[in-house]
């Protein structure tokens, strides 16, 4: 509060988290008579650590040199900037996932169409027909995963659902093992 800081020496009020910051701050004021926009972390008497933006000027009060300091608590602003940065990263990841999913869907559609052509040419009793059915099943599973990714990547949200990746990999592994 105002009553806690006005007319008091700063060091007993707040502890410098990084002692070298205090040295640099005092040095800047001593060299130029002022310091503006000095960012540091301070530990308050209640134990909270806050990020402060300090500006100070060397003044003389009743013949005694003093440092007149204005401090602005920027802790919440920094936290909000970090949340904004994280949101931007997630937006970029969503865009990347969307592009990747669309490209993968194109490849899976080509595999699906090829499997359909094979199925039309292979008799239902042919043992290779089972392999074609596995290919179709794996493609359907992959397209389902892509739908989930696209649902998650859309800005309006949507339920991404769940996908059993192990089941999809097991299907693909079975097909690869028979080749």
């Amino acid at each position: 509060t105002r009553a806690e800081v006005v007319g008091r020496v700063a060091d007993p009020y707040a502890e410098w988290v990084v002692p070298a910051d205090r040295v640099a701050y005092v040095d800047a004021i001593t060299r130029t008579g002022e310091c503006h926009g000095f960012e540091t972390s301070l530990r308050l008497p209640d134990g909270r650590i806050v990020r402060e933006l300090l500006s100070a000027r060397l003044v003389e009060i009743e013949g005694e040199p003093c440092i007149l300091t204005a401090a602005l608590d920027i802790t919440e602003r920094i936290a909000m900037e970090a949340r904004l940065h994280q949101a931007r990263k997630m937006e970029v990841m969503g865009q990347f996932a969307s592009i990747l999913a669309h490209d993968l869907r194109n490849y899976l559609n080509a595999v699906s169409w090829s499997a359909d052509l094979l199925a039309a040419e292979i008799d239902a009793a042919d043992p290779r027909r089972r392999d074609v059915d596995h290919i179709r099943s794996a493609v359907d599973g992959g397209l389902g995963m892509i739908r989930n990714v696209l649902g998650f990547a859309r800005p309006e949200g949507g339920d991404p659902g769940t996908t059993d990746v192990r089941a999809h990999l097991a299907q693909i592994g079975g097909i690869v093992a028979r080749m």
Side-chain angles (χ1 to χ4, degrees):
T1 65
R2 187 181 194 311
E4 291 174 316
V5 295
V6 172
R8 297 177 140 233
V9 177
D11 287 346
Y13 173 71
E15 174 188 345
W16 293 75
V17 174
V18 180
D21 280 0
R22 183 185 186 284
V23 172
Y25 179 66
V26 171
D27 182 53
I29 296 167
T30 304
R31 273 186 292 108
T32 64
E34 61 186 21
C35 180
H36 299 285
F38 189 89
E39 197 172 315
T40 191
S41 294
L42 299 174
R43 185 182 323 278
L44 300 181
D46 65 4
R48 286 182 303 131
I49 294 178
V50 293
R51 198 71 184 159
E52 296 279 324
L53 191 61
L54 306 175
S55 290
R57 178 168 285 177
L58 194 56
V59 296
E60 195 172 295
I61 299 176
E62 297 177 356
E64 187 176 331
C66 296
I67 298 174
L68 179 63
T69 301
L72 177 64
D73 184 345
I74 58 172
T75 307
E76 185 59 29
R77 184 191 84 193
I78 289 174
M80 288 175 61
E81 287 172 353
R83 287 191 298 272
L84 178 61
H85 179 69
Q86 182 63 27
R88 285 182 179 152
K89 283 180 17 182
M90 291 304 293
E91 180 183 1
V92 167
M93 288 303 295
Q95 291 169 351
F96 174 73
S98 179
I99 291 167
L100 182 62
H102 282 289
D103 286 349
L104 286 174
R105 185 171 49 194
N106 291 338
Y107 289 119
L108 286 175
N109 283 334
V111 171
S112 177
W113 296 328
S114 297
D116 289 344
L117 290 173
L118 280 173
E121 293 179 10
I122 297 175
D123 186 66
D126 191 319
R128 294 177 298 164
R129 181 64 178 254
R130 188 168 158 239
D131 293 337
V132 172
D133 291 339
H134 283 297
I135 291 170
R136 285 175 159 169
S137 177
V139 166
D140 289 343
L143 290 171
M145 285 192 309
I146 288 172
R147 276 190 299 279
N148 290 342
V149 167
L150 289 175
F152 179 75
R154 286 189 186 97
E156 63 271 2
D159 181 18
T162 58
T163 299
D164 186 351
V165 176
R166 288 191 176 116
H168 293 299
L169 291 176
Q171 287 176 341
I172 294 169
I175 294 168
V176 172
R178 286 190 298 279
M179 292 182 148

